[in-house]
Amino acid sequence: MCGIVGYIGPKDAYPILIKGLHRLEYRGYDSAGVSLINQSGSLVVYKAKGKVAALEAAAEEKDISGTIGIAHTRWATHGEPNTTNAHPHYSQSHSLSLVHNGIIENYKTLRTELEKNGMTFQSETDTEVLVQLIEYLQTTHHCDLITAVHLALKNVIGAYAIAILDKRNPNQLIAARKGSPLVIGVGKGNETAAPGEAEFFLGSDATPIIEYTNQVIYLQDEEIALLNRNGKQLITNLESVQQTPQLVTLQMNLDELEKGGYAHFMLKEIFEQPNAIRNCLRGRIDRDTLSIKLKGVDESKDRLLTARRIIICACGTSWHAALIGKYFIEEAAKIPVDVEYASEFRYRNPVIDKDDVVIAISQSGETADTLAAIQLAQSHGCFVYGICNVVGSSIARATDSGTFIHVGPEIGVASTKAFTGQLVSLIMFGLALAKEKKTLSETLYHEIINDLTLIPEKMQQTLDNSKGIEQFAKIFTYCKNCIYLGRGYNYPVALEGALKLKEISYIHAEGYPAAEMKHGPIALVDEEMPVVVIAPRRGMYEKIVSNIQEIKSRNGRILSIVTEGDTQVKNMSDFCIEVPDTRDSFAPLLSVIPLQLLSYHIAVAKGRNVDQPRNLAKSVTVE
Ligand code: M6R
């Protein structure tokens, strides 16, 4: 949540910062702001409520010169989304400006203390406390800025990624992090660079940086970076001990960050799924021997094979993937699997044994609750296996081993290709364990892997079959509520379908295991209530047919997802979408696609902002 961009070097900072903010807008879009030390040496701040475009309009007639700057796009936590609460925030003397991502938990205490000492505040944010505290400490301790930053951060409880400008020193940019991500790009400069002049970028992730350099440093927790125009880059910890940063080469492609002709990132990401899954499988499935090779599992075999049970922690869509993972891992590898909301797990004193293995699933790798669940598990001596998309993310670095899903950057707030990538990674994980534990016969093991290799092609067919969805999505536009039903492997798909509809169209929707309907929710069914039923031929087909019958007899309108060639459910449905046949455990990989498209088209028809739905942000880095 919240995106930070920074630049120091020979180039004009403003265009780099604005472009970077657009890339990070998925992290929050309540307000945006930029601060520059301009050519005349003034420290300027321009901000606007709303999106980056509003900031650009606000800065139109302003002096946007300068080769050093910081910028921010906000997802509001403390203080309503208005211009005053937008970042960057000035210090009292206007010598410093600061942007922040995270939450300062003890901000009230700090603010009261500072106010007692004569500091005045402009905003309601926790962030302003940071910049005022730094200035106050610098003045009272008569020290340089970097020392004041160390002192201030030692007094702070909470999470932060920050970047600071100092009007008195236009040659340095200061950044620090704890609990919120921050990446430093080490640039190449340009022909206007003076001899020895360096170039550094800052970003909450690498997307604002990749255009200029693929050399990055992932700042670690409690590290403070001093980035100097003369090339000096000093990274220290809170105790002022110098750290040795690791320079990493990014494996990211600029095209992946563009819409590539699609109207929205979400649509592009839905259509990318066949290729995304090919990439996820690449190098992990040997098609000749029909076997799985997962580096993360190979490296940690000892811990994984002695696991008493597996606990999967995740949030949102990743939690839905975890539920399907549970079904598969238990079925294939015969290990008990519990699935936990990371936000509940971290606070409810769970019984954790050191022989348990925890799997943390996160697309962004930055979800605060999932990160805290990992820390809790590790404090009990558990081995933690990560399933992440973003390489270099906090969760990827915090886990003991893991698998990257490799589906490419997911920018639409609604998770789509990451979900199917997570499922495939969990399936490969379950199969790798099953092989070691010999819980599957050789024949079945090979058969399952063979079926897995066919999934990308079947995803493509599913997309091709789904052309009609746009038409009947229009009919759904007028509904106020919607129920999604599935059984077995498709019950979590019902949950996921309902979440997709809620988050981008703002239509209330609930997912249920179909058989649970008669324990209460069936009372909701009438001719106004669309019921989406995921009913592929395999699994509990006959059972779900009876559930559909029960809804039909109460005048419910049925939209069904069925296996190609099905007539029974099709004939009972008002609308029907066919997906190719596959094994029961793989059905979610296909059945979720029409549901993603259904939500997408409903949201578009309702004129919603599909990629940036209200109140949401892509990475939830606050609890
Ligand atoms: O990055 P993560 O996978 O940890 O994110 C978890 C959830 O915040 C995320 O899946 C959220 O529910 C999506 N917006 C759903 O589409």
Side-chain angles (χ1 to χ4, degrees):
M1 302 195 138
C2 298
I4 290 179
V5 194
Y7 179 75
I8 181 168
K11 299 178 188 137
D12 280 338
Y14 182 79
I16 294 171
L17 297 173
I18 292 294
K19 204 168 200 183
L21 284 186
H22 278 295
R23 292 256 157 82
L24 291 181
E25 207 164 32
Y26 72 87
R27 299 178 71 92
Y29 27 85
D30 288 332
S31 63
V34 62
S35 180
L36 301 154
I37 303 178
N38 65 19
Q39 266 165 358
S40 45
S42 302
L43 179 69
V44 293
V45 170
Y46 307 127
K47 347 196 235 189
K49 181 181 170 184
K51 301 206 167 178
V52 181
L55 169 67
E56 288 178 272
E60 218 155 61
E61 305 280 294
K62 305 274 173 28
D63 181 353
I64 50 163
S65 63
T67 55
I68 176 171
I70 55 179
H72 188 266
T73 176
R74 179 169 187 242
W75 187 85
T77 57
H78 296 63
E80 65 173 276
N82 59 26
T83 312
T84 314
N85 290 330
H87 303 208
H89 290 284
Y90 274 125
S91 62
Q92 185 153 303
S93 72
H94 282 212
S95 295
L96 306 177
S97 63
L98 177 145
V99 288
H100 167 223
N101 168 25
I103 289 183
I104 305 303
E105 288 167 17
N106 59 339
Y107 84 101
K108 274 200 179 135
T109 322
L110 293 170
R111 182 167 171 153
T112 310
E113 271 307 301
L114 289 165
E115 280 172 337
K116 267 193 218 152
N117 286 296
M119 307 293 282
T120 52
F121 285 78
Q122 308 304 317
S123 76
E124 303 155 274
T125 63
D126 53 334
T127 302
E128 196 184 354
V129 163
L130 271 179
V131 69
Q132 301 287 34
L133 180 64
I134 293 166
E135 178 158 291
Y136 176 75
L137 291 170
Q138 194 180 3
T139 318
T140 51
H141 284 70
H142 307 290
C143 58
D144 58 11
L145 180 61
I146 190 80
T147 310
V149 172
H150 277 89
L151 288 171
L153 294 181
K154 281 187 184 175
N155 279 292
V156 155
I157 300 170
Y160 54 80
I162 55 171
I164 311 167
L165 289 187
D166 180 357
K167 170 166 107 167
R168 296 152 299 187
N169 195 344
N171 292 321
Q172 75 173 32
L173 185 57
I174 291 179
R177 74 154 275 183
K178 181 186 174 191
S180 301
L182 204 53
V183 187
I184 300 171
V186 182
K188 311 177 198 78
N190 63 7
E191 62 289 347
T192 63
E197 187 175 16
E199 179 179 52
F200 295 105
F201 302 82
L202 287 176
S204 292
D205 64 30
T207 58
I209 298 174
I210 185 67
E211 199 155 338
Y212 311 100
T213 175
N214 62 2
Q215 298 298 296
V216 298
I217 295 165
Y218 290 98
L219 207 59
Q220 307 292 320
D221 267 351
E222 301 199 336
E223 282 186 348
I224 300 170
L226 178 72
L227 307 172
N228 205 297
R229 216 182 268 283
N230 66 14
K232 198 172 106 190
Q233 128 222 325
L234 178 67
I235 298 183
T236 48
N237 65 13
L238 281 186
E239 306 311 319
S240 303
V241 178
Q242 189 169 344
Q243 306 294 297
T244 314
Q246 203 195 340
L247 201 62
V248 176
T249 304
L250 288 173
Q251 310 290 336
M252 195 185 269
N253 176 350
L254 201 53
D255 294 345
E256 294 174 330
L257 305 177
E258 309 290 344
K259 284 193 202 137
Y262 286 90
H264 297 96
F265 279 110
M266 182 182 176
L267 191 62
K268 175 184 176 226
E269 287 156 9
I270 293 172
F271 275 87
E272 275 174 348
Q273 287 177 104
N275 267 336
I277 296 308
R278 279 186 194 104
N279 290 337
C280 181
L281 295 172
R282 183 161 301 126
R284 280 129 176 208
I285 288 196
D286 184 329
R287 282 164 193 269
D288 299 328
T289 59
L290 284 179
S291 57
I292 300 271
K293 187 146 185 61
L294 267 195
K295 199 160 148 254
V297 171
D298 285 351
E299 282 170 1
S300 42
K301 235 183 247 174
D302 295 350
R303 287 302 300 264
L304 296 175
L305 293 177
T306 52
R308 206 173 55 101
R309 67 168 173 165
I310 291 172
I311 307 168
I312 314 185
C313 291
C315 302
T317 288
S318 300
W319 186 83
H320 297 154
L323 287 178
I324 298 169
K326 168 188 163 76
Y327 289 13
F328 186 80
I329 296 168
E330 287 191 343
E331 189 177 323
K334 309 287 178 234
I335 305 176
V337 181
D338 292 338
V339 175
E340 298 266 2
Y341 280 120
S343 53
E344 289 295 313
F345 180 77
R346 64 180 290 197
Y347 284 123
R348 67 166 183 81
N349 273 328
V351 178
I352 311 172
D353 189 275
K354 65 173 177 30
D355 293 326
D356 292 336
V357 162
V358 167
I359 301 182
I361 309 180
S362 175
Q363 184 286 130
S364 62
E366 300 296 345
T367 301
D369 285 321
T370 310
L371 201 49
I374 293 169
Q375 284 151 3
L376 177 71
Q378 286 173 333
S379 73
H380 282 75
C382 285
F383 185 82
V384 183
Y385 195 92
I387 295 185
C388 290
N389 191 29
V390 179
V391 178
S393 59
S394 302
I395 292 175
R397 283 180 292 125
T399 43
D400 301 304
S401 178
T403 300
F404 284 112
I405 63 174
H406 288 318
V407 296
E410 190 182 69
I411 292 167
V413 164
S415 191
T416 52
K417 62 177 178 173
F419 176 71
T420 43
Q422 289 164 345
L423 293 186
V424 167
S425 302
L426 284 160
I427 288 167
M428 291 192 294
F429 178 90
L431 287 171
L433 243 54
K435 171 84 175 160
E436 293 296 330
K437 289 171 66 96
K438 302 195 175 19
T439 45
L440 289 176
S441 70
E442 284 279 304
T443 322
L444 184 56
Y445 172 76
H446 294 316
E447 214 175 279
I448 297 175
I449 295 177
N450 187 52
D451 286 349
L452 193 55
T453 63
L454 303 177
I455 287 296
E457 189 49 40
K458 291 187 176 183
M459 283 179 147
Q460 191 56 55
Q461 287 167 28
T462 307
L463 288 164
D464 297 342
N465 286 352
S466 300
K467 297 216 167 81
I469 294 180
E470 190 172 352
Q471 276 320 308
F472 56 73
K474 294 200 177 94
I475 302 164
F476 276 67
T477 311
Y478 300 100
C479 70
K480 298 226 163 357
N481 300 287
C482 194
I483 291 178
Y484 285 70
L485 301 178
R487 295 191 73 151
Y489 279 100
N490 285 300
Y491 155 53
V493 179
L495 297 177
E496 175 60 7
L499 174 61
K500 288 289 89 88
L501 187 66
K502 280 185 271 208
E503 69 178 331
I504 60 167
S505 73
Y506 319 150
I507 293 173
H508 172 245
E510 296 294 336
Y512 284 103
E516 274 297 301
M517 281 300 280
K518 46 179 127 21
H519 298 286
I522 202 161
L524 295 167
V525 173
D526 60 17
E527 56 285 350
E528 307 264 287
M529 174 69 87
V531 181
V532 180
V533 189
I534 305 132
R537 165 69 69 189
R538 301 185 199 225
M540 285 171 270
Y541 181 75
E542 295 305 334
K543 303 271 176 211
I544 210 154
V545 168
S546 312
N547 300 139
I548 295 174
Q549 203 58 64
E550 289 153 12
I551 294 159
K552 283 298 288 175
S553 34
R554 279 142 189 104
N555 298 324
R557 281 192 302 158
I558 305 282
L559 185 161
S560 61
I561 313 292
V562 301
T563 304
E564 265 167 6
D566 178 288
T567 48
Q568 193 177 1
V569 171
K570 195 173 185 174
N571 290 339
M572 294 160 78
S573 309
D574 300 88
F575 311 99
C576 182
I577 303 157
E578 294 189 349
V579 294
D581 188 26
T582 184
R583 57 188 324 111
D584 183 29
S585 50
F586 294 175
L589 290 164
L590 307 180
S591 59
V592 76
I593 293 175
L595 302 186
Q596 295 167 344
L597 284 167
L598 180 70
S599 308
Y600 171 80
H601 288 300
I602 293 175
V604 170
K606 285 181 84 76
R608 304 297 191 217
N609 188 335
V610 171
D611 284 335
Q612 295 170 347
R614 70 183 180 202
N615 305 338
L616 291 174
K618 184 75 180 161
S619 347
V620 185
T621 56
V622 294
E623 59 170 295

